[in-house]
Amino acid sequence: MPVSSTPTRTLSTAEQRREDVLRVAMKVVGERGLYGTPTMDVARAAGISQAYLFRLFPTKTELFLAVIERSFRRVHDTFVEAAANARREGEPVEKAIGQAYTDLIQDRDLLLTQLQGQAAASEPEVRAALRDGFKTLFEMVERETEATPLEIQQFFARGMLCNVIAALGLDDVEEHWAEVLTSADADEDC
Amino acid sequence: MPVSSTPTRTLSTAEQRREDVLRVAMKVVGERGLYGTPTMDVARAAGISQAYLFRLFPTKTELFLAVIERSFRRVHDTFVEAAANARREGEPVEKAIGQAYTDLIQDRDLLLTQLQGQAAASEPEVRAALRDGFKTLFEMVERETEATPLEIQQFFARGMLCNVIAALGLDDVEEHWAEVLTSADADEDC
DNA sequence: CTAGTGAGTGAGTGCATACTCACAAAATCG
DNA sequence: CGATTTTGTGAGTATGCACTCACTCACTAG
């Protein structure tokens, strides 16, 4: 384990590479999921050989799991940071969370990754990772906000709706039904 | 096209077979989706040869599309029927829809099929079928109920949450977070 | 009966793809 | 410097799977 190395380096460390791979893997895997994405596509997108991809992640499933975990971590960290900021500034945490939320749903890859994870939940390891991710997320929201159980449920429900909005590309559909489903307004007119 | 045939028949008509196949296909396809489900599995589950499966559905994608359409049709018809019944009995349509809803979410295969459809939405034909299904569903709900746009949005959002609850099997998880997410209560205590 | 049609299959074919291995070159260590 | 570790690859292999083809058999019309 090289620790005291010179900063000039043309090769990456494996850890760095893994991180790079995961970032681009979220794009590729988000489209077609665990079963539909050839490892070759991931390798190509990451700019490495397929052989080396398999050295970084010994199995396709493990790569997929890492993608999912990264996806959850991103959501989690974003919320925690927003809440911490709000608290430090003396602003309402609810608002901050709301803002973090609208930031996150801009990230199409993130939403698609979530969806693909759920679709592969028949794989026990994947299901376990998803349950764990949701549990952590849930408890964080419960801890950081004053929201009631019903509100939290609605919060997550809305998140799931965002996933399918991303998958169907409803943002670009200019029809009444699509606009109602995608609308983010809090006001309710009769 | 045999129309005036005797009712004793050991072979099925192709139409009948197709329907049979779709019914069992919802089970199989719901687990692993378009890319993850070998056609052989569907054929075996339906009790026919793979060769004949391909005569009934010329391509795997077309089979998948048929599954999705069937899935949407089931949801649609259930709601329409419930609404019609309620109206005939002079009962509130909202309640009837709510009841139809809780009936539908008992059908795990149906929910999983929906989720798998969404996960395969990068396939243009699939995406088109999903958009069409949602549009039809949306307009039906809008027509049959008095719900506000926000309510309709929440209605669909909750449907999406049900899909992932089914996928993760949260009904069987006896932990606080899972219970809150799966709870169907309308009452909100402080 | 015979001829024709539609249900149904066994046994492939060819290609995609998860995973491996033998090897090269760069970095680091002593 | 040479020895060792670590990043990285080209060229496989073996299996799984979508789709095909040449058939057989059940049924019906005439």
Side-chain angles (χ1 to χ4, degrees), chain B residues 70-84:
Chain B
R70 188 189 139 98
S71 160
F72 271 111
R73 202 161 42 241
R74 249 187 55 73
V75 179
H76 181 87
D77 292 356
T78 304
F79 277 125
V80 167
E81 191 182 351

Side-chain angles (χ1 to χ4, degrees), chain A residues 13 48 105 117 119 147 186:
Chain A
T13 80
I48 64 175
I105 65 177

Side-chain angles (χ1 to χ4, degrees), chain B residues 47 64 114 116 131-132 171 173 179 181:
Chain B
F64 189 73
Q114 285 283 331
Q116 295 298 351
R131 284 184 180 177
D132 189 64
D171 296 309
V173 176
E179 277 155 7
L181 289 184

Side-chain angles (χ1 to χ4, degrees), chain A residues 13-181:
Chain A
T13 80
E15 214 40 64
Q16 177 104 16
R17 271 293 196 211
R18 252 185 283 263
E19 188 51 33
D20 292 352
V21 168
L22 285 183
R23 206 175 46 250
V24 311
M26 285 190 61
K27 272 197 199 312
V28 184
V29 166
E31 293 295 322
R32 308 186 111 88
L34 169 59
Y35 307 112
T37 312
T39 56
M40 188 59 191
D41 284 9
V42 178
R44 196 158 26 225
I48 64 175
S49 68
Q50 195 199 17
Y52 193 47
L53 176 65
F54 272 92
R55 174 145 334 154
L56 295 174
F57 300 93
T59 203
K60 192 193 190 184
T61 305
E62 279 180 69
L63 167 61
F64 189 73
L65 285 173
V67 167
I68 290 185
E69 274 152 25
R70 188 190 138 99
S71 159
F72 272 111
R73 202 162 42 240
R74 249 187 57 73
V75 178
H76 181 86
D77 292 356
T78 304
F79 277 125
V80 167
E81 192 183 351
N85 278 348
R87 223 186 299 279
R88 180 152 24 82
E89 308 285 345
E91 288 167 8
V93 180
E94 316 284 327
K95 286 289 174 199
I97 286 266
Q99 184 54 46
Y101 196 85
T102 57
D103 284 356
L104 280 176
I105 65 177
Q106 302 304 118
D107 189 343
R108 191 182 135 86
D109 298 334
L110 187 74
L111 303 182
L112 293 186
T113 297
Q114 285 283 331
L115 190 60
Q116 295 298 350
Q118 294 157 19
S122 73
E123 221 71 36
E125 301 161 282
V126 175
R127 186 167 57 237
L130 290 170
R131 284 183 180 178
D132 190 63
F134 272 114
K135 177 186 167 117
T136 306
L137 231 46
F138 180 96
E139 287 170 351
M140 183 268 291
V141 171
E142 204 176 36
R143 188 184 336 114
E144 301 277 347
T145 75
E146 321 265 80
T148 67
L150 183 73
E151 282 169 342
I152 299 186
Q153 191 192 52
Q154 285 176 342
F155 177 76
F156 276 92
R158 202 184 161 107
M160 303 307 109
L161 181 62
C162 288
N163 291 346
V164 344
I165 286 170
L168 299 200
L170 293 192
D171 297 308
D172 304 334
V173 176
E174 295 181 347
E175 300 178 40
H176 173 60
W177 65 280
E179 277 156 8
V180 170
L181 288 185

Side-chain angles (χ1 to χ4, degrees), chain B residues 18-184:
Chain B
R18 252 184 283 263
E19 189 51 32
D20 292 354
V21 168
L22 285 183
R23 205 175 47 249
V24 311
M26 285 190 61
K27 270 195 200 314
V28 183
V29 166
E31 293 295 323
R32 309 185 111 87
L34 169 59
Y35 307 112
T37 313
T39 56
M40 188 58 193
D41 283 10
V42 178
R44 196 157 26 223
I48 64 175
S49 69
Q50 195 198 17
Y52 192 47
L53 176 64
F54 272 91
R55 174 141 339 149
L56 295 175
F57 299 93
T59 204
K60 192 194 190 182
T61 305
E62 280 180 70
L63 167 62
F64 189 73
L65 285 172
V67 167
I68 290 184
E69 274 152 26
R70 188 189 139 98
S71 160
F72 271 111
R73 202 161 42 241
R74 249 187 55 73
V75 179
H76 181 87
D77 292 356
T78 304
F79 277 125
V80 167
E81 191 182 351
N85 278 349
R87 225 186 298 282
R88 179 149 27 80
E89 308 285 343
E91 288 168 7
V93 180
E94 314 286 326
K95 286 289 174 197
I97 285 266
Q99 185 54 45
Y101 197 84
T102 57
D103 282 357
L104 280 176
I105 65 177
Q106 301 306 117
D107 188 344
R108 192 181 136 84
D109 298 334
L110 187 74
L111 303 183
L112 293 186
T113 297
Q114 285 283 331
L115 190 61
Q116 295 298 351
Q118 294 156 19
S122 73
E123 222 70 36
E125 302 162 281
V126 175
R127 187 167 55 238
L130 290 170
R131 284 184 180 177
D132 189 64
F134 272 114
K135 177 185 167 121
T136 306
L137 231 46
F138 180 96
E139 287 169 352
M140 183 269 290
V141 172
E142 204 176 37
R143 187 182 337 112
E144 301 278 347
T145 75
E146 322 265 78
T148 68
L150 183 73
E151 281 168 342
I152 299 186
Q153 191 192 53
Q154 285 176 341
F155 177 76
F156 277 91
R158 205 187 157 105
M160 303 308 108
L161 180 62
C162 288
N163 292 346
V164 345
I165 287 170
L168 298 201
L170 293 192
D171 296 309
D172 304 334
V173 176
E174 294 181 348
E175 299 179 40
H176 173 60
W177 65 279
E179 277 155 7
V180 170
L181 289 184
T182 57
S183 75

